[in-house]
Amino acid sequence: MVRKIGIIGMGNVGSTLAHGLIAEGVADHYVLIDPKVEKVRADQIDFQDAMANHSIFAKLTINDYSALADADVVVSALGNISLQHNAGEDRFAEFALMQEQVPQVAASLKDSGFSGVLVVISNPVDAVSALYQALTDFPRERVIGTGTLLDTARMKRVVSERLGVNPKSVSGYNLGEHGNSQFTAWSQVSVKGQPISDFFSEDELEEMSFASMKGGHTVFYGKGYTSYGIATTAIRIVKAILSDAEEELVISSFQEAFGTYVGYPALVGRSGKVGHVQLNLTEDEEVKLQASANLIKERVEAALSKI
């Protein structure tokens, strides 16, 4: 069976994502879409030039929404990273742009007959995921976002650097908005099976939570964009979908308890979100999660009232 993936938006993230997927041989056919025709055509040629030196082969189609009809996964990588250079370092800075672009893409996706899983990278990812779901009327489980999976990886990096261990030895989650209202659920974090509280004070934990939340801006100010971390995050989600892994990942998905999309663990498989995970959070963490969800819900409702 041919595995097909669509990527909408071939900027720094979209092109890095495409390269990673192709290099790993994740799919057999890629549909690359971007309004900058010369850029996406150049990417197509560049990837085709690489094929002779790859151990795999993949077909490439550009700017053809009809080719998404039988795609397994479509990734939305729309965005304008320069908007992240704002006083509040707020990912909602891109939301006005998304309110212009998402309705057009959503309509094109519906018209194409696409019936796979839509994975959203575009910021602010929780709100944009909600926007896509409302405008396409796709089943909620089939519209998911990268959520705080990348923030969680950043938290693991910060902890591992402090302790001098492999980040894969750190388990736990960052939850809530992929943005300034997120938090590290330290009650869920452990290192080689030991609670994180065995290693750090409350002040140190707060400092590391802030560092993981601001990790993306550190990268952004260093090179002008982010790419590898988020592309790898999306690749992990796409592979879980294609392999029907039912893997626990802290994605952005619709949470009935909050009535909105928010970063929280879920099982990811062939149909997108295929199962729920229930965490035993502290009272303070529950309050933080509710506040983060409320912020997302309010912004989405305001946006939809104008569309």
Side-chain angles (χ1 to χ4, degrees):
M1 182 178 74
V2 173
R3 299 160 299 170
K4 184 186 286 190
I5 297 171
I7 301 174
I8 302 174
M10 287 295 291
N12 292 313
V13 174
S15 56
T16 303
L17 170 62
H19 176 262
L21 290 166
I22 292 169
E24 289 194 39
V26 174
D28 310 293
H29 188 173
Y30 297 90
V31 182
L32 312 177
I33 295 176
D34 195 285
K36 296 180 180 178
V37 179
E38 289 186 5
K39 166 63 165 65
V40 72
R41 174 59 178 152
D43 278 332
Q44 180 189 37
I45 294 171
D46 210 3
F47 288 136
Q48 288 172 332
D49 286 346
M51 290 296 175
N53 290 317
H54 269 311
S55 59
I56 50 83
F57 176 82
K59 182 178 178 181
L60 300 171
T61 300
I62 61 171
N63 285 348
D64 182 2
Y65 271 97
S66 68
L68 298 177
D70 59 347
D72 300 286
V73 181
V74 167
V75 181
S76 169
L78 306 172
N80 181 351
I81 190 66
S82 67
L83 295 175
Q84 291 302 317
H85 202 309
N86 63 84
E89 295 185 334
D90 188 354
R91 289 184 175 87
F92 269 96
E94 293 189 67
F95 200 33
L97 176 64
M98 290 301 99
Q99 290 172 59
E100 296 175 6
Q101 295 186 351
V102 168
Q104 301 169 29
V105 174
S108 296
L109 278 175
K110 288 184 69 176
D111 290 345
S112 75
F114 171 64
S115 60
V117 179
L118 176 60
V119 177
V120 181
I121 292 176
S122 307
N123 279 319
V125 68
D126 309 283
V128 175
S129 298
L131 215 58
Y132 266 119
Q133 194 282 319
L135 295 175
T136 59
D137 201 31
F138 291 160
R140 287 168 174 165
E141 64 271 14
R142 280 181 41 214
V143 181
I144 60 178
T146 48
T148 48
L149 185 56
L150 176 53
D151 305 289
T152 295
R154 287 171 174 153
M155 176 272 290
K156 293 178 179 180
R157 170 183 55 79
V158 171
V159 172
S160 69
E161 287 175 347
R162 295 288 187 96
L163 294 176
V165 301
N166 188 318
K168 292 182 180 294
S169 296
V170 183
S171 63
Y173 316 97
N174 274 34
L175 303 176
E177 175 204 2
H178 175 56
N180 294 342
S181 68
Q182 69 173 267
F183 63 98
T184 303
W186 291 117
S187 69
Q188 307 297 308
V189 179
S190 64
V191 180
K192 297 182 179 179
Q194 289 183 259
I196 195 71
S197 57
D198 288 356
F199 302 94
F200 299 105
S201 67
E202 289 294 327
D203 287 345
E204 288 173 319
L205 293 178
E206 186 62 30
E207 181 185 327
M208 290 190 295
S209 182
F210 183 80
S212 65
M213 185 264 286
K214 289 297 184 182
H217 288 95
T218 302
V219 174
F220 168 70
Y221 290 126
K223 67 178 190 178
Y225 57 93
T226 62
S227 54
Y228 303 127
I230 185 58
T232 304
T233 299
I235 289 170
R236 185 177 180 186
I237 293 172
V238 169
K239 290 168 74 173
I241 293 167
L242 292 180
S243 63
D244 198 18
E246 298 190 8
E247 182 179 0
E248 180 187 321
L249 298 172
V250 59
I251 59 168
S252 184
S253 65
F254 188 84
Q255 297 291 324
E256 294 285 351
F258 304 113
T260 192
Y261 277 73
V262 67
Y264 194 89
L267 301 181
V268 178
R270 188 70 187 178
S271 300
K273 179 182 177 180
V274 297
H276 301 275
V277 173
Q278 186 60 52
L279 300 179
N280 184 23
L281 301 176
T282 66
E283 184 177 344
D284 180 60
E285 290 167 348
E286 291 283 7
V287 170
K288 289 179 179 178
L289 183 58
Q290 182 70 66
S292 191
N294 288 346
L295 182 150
I296 296 164
K297 187 176 182 179
E298 289 167 7
R299 299 286 182 90
V300 171
E301 289 176 347
L304 287 172
S305 70
K306 298 175 185 177
I307 296 176

